[in-house]
Amino acid sequence: MSENKAIRVALTKGRLEKDTVGLFEKMGFDVTELKEKGRRLILNIPGQNMEVVLAKAADVITYVELGACDIGVVGKDTILEHGGEYFEIADLGFGRCRFALATKKGLDFYGGVGVKTVATKYPNVTRNFFESKRMDVDIVKIEGSVELAPLLRIADGIVDIVETGTTLKENGLAVIEDVVPISARLIVNTVSMKLKKERIEQLTEMMKSAL
Ligand code: PRP
């Protein structure tokens, strides 16, 4: 009977949401509620004993860590920045982009003397990247449109998500170096992994073969 155990999935709102709903549809799930959700945040997938919770990326991790949700779909960017106690069990392949170090086009970021300043929404990812290079930098935390920081001369460079490269290009910035590739991942609560193992494995296999 374990395959019928109720399961709650936390899904990152926005970019990853559409791809995940598309994946569920390919798996033969009735995604009507997910497509016509209005402002509702907890949605039911009929016949699957499955609930979907829509949340911001960092909250997806929190809900999975706390066991409020058994599994979550979240970007590797948030996983790297947030850390935490859960299992990362699959790369879903969609939501592909990368973290990159970028500066004003033509600027020699590594040249000259003095500690460089780097602006980012991801201070932990940035710290780890420069620590791996044994390079001392000052990090400035920015909440959005990090590309502004070098243009306003508050930073020498940025570490940010690059998808198509359009935002950098349109603002006269260019990638100096790739930091790490990113894609959507499936994460699982540590207790759910034991108590609902069969159901979770079954669902993961279904997701992988529908990808
Ligand atoms: C992300 C990122 C870049 C942009 C990159 O921002 O921070 O600004 O996308 O995409 P591109 O390479 O295709 O141009 P997002 O749109 O998530 O908005 P935010 O800055 O408000 O987080």
Side-chain angles (χ1 to χ4, degrees), residues 98 147 161-171 173-175:
R98 67 202 205 267
E147 294 85 358
I161 290 170
V162 177
E163 192 179 356
T164 61
T166 310
T167 312
L168 291 179
K169 200 171 169 207
E170 292 194 358
N171 290 289
L173 306 173
V175 169

Side-chain angles (χ1 to χ4, degrees):
M1 290 305 284
S2 55
E3 63 271 16
N4 291 325
K5 275 186 182 166
I7 199 155
R8 193 179 287 140
V9 181
L11 203 170
T12 303
K13 280 197 278 190
R15 292 185 196 210
L16 299 184
E17 183 181 337
K18 218 175 140 201
D19 283 328
T20 315
V21 173
L23 180 63
F24 286 162
E25 201 167 21
K26 256 176 116 181
M27 287 157 65
F29 289 1
D30 177 354
V31 294
T32 316
E33 279 202 19
L34 281 166
K35 283 188 166 173
E36 297 164 10
K37 62 184 192 305
R39 297 287 296 168
R40 274 181 309 155
L41 298 168
I42 303 183
L43 295 317
N44 180 41
I45 300 201
Q48 297 294 331
N49 206 6
M50 182 167 152
E51 257 179 9
V52 175
V53 171
L54 290 171
K56 281 188 89 164
D59 297 340
V60 166
I61 293 185
T62 303
Y63 295 142
V64 170
E65 270 196 294
L66 294 175
C69 295
D70 302 293
I71 68 178
V73 175
V74 67
K76 184 70 178 177
D77 51 331
T78 312
I79 291 174
L80 289 170
E81 183 62 22
H82 193 285
E85 293 288 316
Y86 46 84
F87 296 117
E88 182 187 324
I89 61 160
D91 182 347
L92 297 174
F94 54 78
R96 277 191 196 283
C97 50
R98 67 202 205 267
F99 274 124
L101 169 67
T103 60
K104 274 188 182 172
K105 213 173 166 202
L107 195 98
D108 178 14
F109 178 81
Y110 290 114
V113 287
V115 174
K116 297 291 192 304
T117 302
V118 179
T120 187
K121 278 182 275 186
Y122 302 87
N124 294 329
V125 170
T126 304
R127 193 175 308 108
N128 291 338
F129 174 64
F130 286 104
E131 268 177 16
S132 74
K133 292 178 162 294
R134 300 180 184 280
M135 181 174 166
D136 195 19
V137 293
D138 288 330
I139 296 171
V140 179
K141 172 95 189 316
I142 298 287
E143 294 300 330
S145 299
V146 182
E147 294 85 358
L148 268 172
L151 305 178
L152 300 180
R153 296 176 192 278
I154 63 151
D156 301 294
I158 61 172
V159 167
D160 197 22
I161 290 170
V162 177
E163 192 179 356
T164 61
T166 310
T167 312
L168 291 179
K169 200 171 169 207
E170 292 194 358
N171 290 289
L173 306 173
V175 169
I176 298 277
E177 199 175 329
D178 285 347
V179 174
V180 64
I182 295 167
S183 56
R185 305 297 163 100
L186 199 61
I187 61 169
V188 181
N189 172 265
T190 50
V191 177
S192 303
M193 196 67 200
K194 291 193 188 98
L195 299 184
K196 301 183 183 180
K197 192 170 188 284
E198 214 173 305
R199 175 90 209 257
I200 288 167
E201 280 175 354
Q202 185 193 42
L203 192 64
T204 309
E205 283 317 307
M206 278 178 81
M207 287 172 107
K208 280 183 180 167
S209 44
L211 280 168

